[in-house]
Amino acid sequence: MLALRTDEPPRRAPAIWRTMLNIDRGLVNLVGRLTVTGRVPAQLRGRPLLMAANHIGVFDAFVLMAACKRIGINPRFMLAGGILDAPVIGPALRVSGHLRVDRKHAGTAVGQFAEAVEAMKTTREPIIVYPEGRISHDPGLWPERGKTGAARLALAAGVPVIPISQWGAHEAVYWGTETVNGPADLVPLARSGLSAPLRRPRFRVHFGDPVDLSDVEPERPGAGVRAHAKIMQAIADGLVPLRRDELDRPRFHDPTRPTDTVSPWKPPSAL
């Protein structure tokens, strides 16, 4: 694994990102009730770190940000290019130091992966990724099979991986639609989001122990697949206690979310 430098003091996150995190914390507290368990060990703070989370709803990034703020870390995200190119919010996110990924352009993605590896080796703040790549379509809202990109990034950069399991953010705002073609597509999101402060959903976020990838040799064929399986299993294992009373299906029904895939990480107790 890469030898990490510890002689440099952690740098503060850009002011605009610290401001956005503080605003986000107020928003999450307004919408629901946040409970955070687990921790990020002191020896992993202020150095390169990848954090992999399950993806359960359009509001879960806000919950993750608030959870990280509560335990004293300022995370960055690996974001789709479209978000970073969006008006107003895009420039603010770019200045904040988030990593870019463009999945639609294979040639560009290769170069971006190399850039991401180098960025991961030097960043002083944790980078959050969604290995699934999208909000889960599993009927039980268990993690989808996902992609190996995050695992390959961790192996190539030689950085630790913290699994994050979360539950409850799916109750704040409906999934909505894959693409927004007009104001009508935003109505379900607006209605559910505006009613959330009255419903006060409970948001649960758990920071798990670092995933043990010591037996995965980065240069061997299939290393990314094996590391990915370990990461996803750790996320699913951490999710069980958060939703113990609704292991089969979420109690909260979102009529807009597709349910056309089956999670390979669903525990036997949920079958």
Side-chain angles (χ1 to χ4, degrees):
M1 299 292 280
L2 179 70
L4 302 175
R5 294 183 60 185
T6 58
D7 56 338
E8 296 181 11
R11 292 173 293 187
R12 298 189 71 191
I16 188 170
W17 183 233
R18 297 199 308 272
T19 300
M20 293 171 71
L21 287 171
N22 286 328
I23 293 173
D24 170 79
R25 180 170 54 181
L27 173 64
V28 171
N29 289 336
L30 172 67
V31 171
R33 300 160 292 161
L34 175 62
T35 300
V36 180
T37 55
R39 66 190 182 94
V40 173
Q43 64 269 26
L44 297 185
R45 296 182 180 231
R47 58 175 59 187
L49 174 65
L50 195 67
M51 305 173 76
N54 59 317
H55 205 357
I56 59 174
V58 297
F59 194 69
D60 67 16
F62 298 97
V63 173
L64 288 178
M65 290 159 57
C68 287
K69 188 70 176 177
R70 180 171 293 185
I71 65 172
I73 58 177
N74 296 314
R76 312 293 175 85
F77 284 82
M78 184 167 285
L79 298 174
I83 298 176
L84 294 175
D85 292 335
V88 184
I89 189 66
L93 292 174
R94 291 198 299 271
V95 170
S96 298
H98 300 279
L99 299 186
R100 182 188 190 99
V101 58
D102 286 304
R103 301 186 185 92
K104 294 183 179 179
H105 306 288
T108 304
V110 172
Q112 287 179 346
F113 181 81
E115 293 176 4
V117 169
E118 292 306 310
M120 278 300 309
K121 291 179 179 180
T122 58
T123 183
R124 313 300 289 184
E125 296 86 14
I127 299 295
I128 295 179
V129 297
Y130 289 115
E132 296 167 84
R134 68 176 185 180
I135 296 169
S136 175
H137 287 201
D138 176 71
L141 205 50
W142 289 95
E144 290 195 329
R145 181 171 300 279
K147 300 175 175 63
T148 62
R152 291 188 292 109
L153 176 60
L155 292 176
V159 300
V161 179
I162 291 286
I164 304 178
S165 307
Q166 62 169 324
W167 190 244
H170 60 290
E171 299 184 19
V173 182
Y174 279 171
W175 179 87
T177 181
E178 196 75 50
T179 58
V180 176
N181 297 311
D185 291 332
L186 298 175
V187 172
L189 283 78
R191 285 179 176 171
S192 56
L194 290 174
S195 69
L198 301 176
R199 294 183 280 109
R200 300 289 292 168
R202 183 181 175 188
F203 308 133
R204 304 175 179 92
V205 177
H206 177 71
F207 295 89
D209 294 331
V211 181
D212 183 6
L213 300 178
S214 60
D215 62 341
V216 179
E217 300 178 34
E219 303 304 322
R220 295 193 64 179
V225 174
R226 290 190 292 275
H228 172 73
K230 283 176 169 284
I231 293 169
M232 296 305 298
Q233 190 62 62
I235 293 173
D237 290 346
L239 185 57
V240 172
L242 305 185
R243 53 176 298 182
R244 192 173 297 281
D245 56 346
E246 45 186 323
L247 290 178
D248 181 28
R249 299 284 181 103
R251 282 195 304 266
F252 181 81
H253 176 61
D254 179 353
T256 69
R257 184 175 64 87
T259 55
D260 54 4
T261 64
V262 177
S263 169
W265 315 112
K266 181 182 296 186
S269 57
L271 297 176

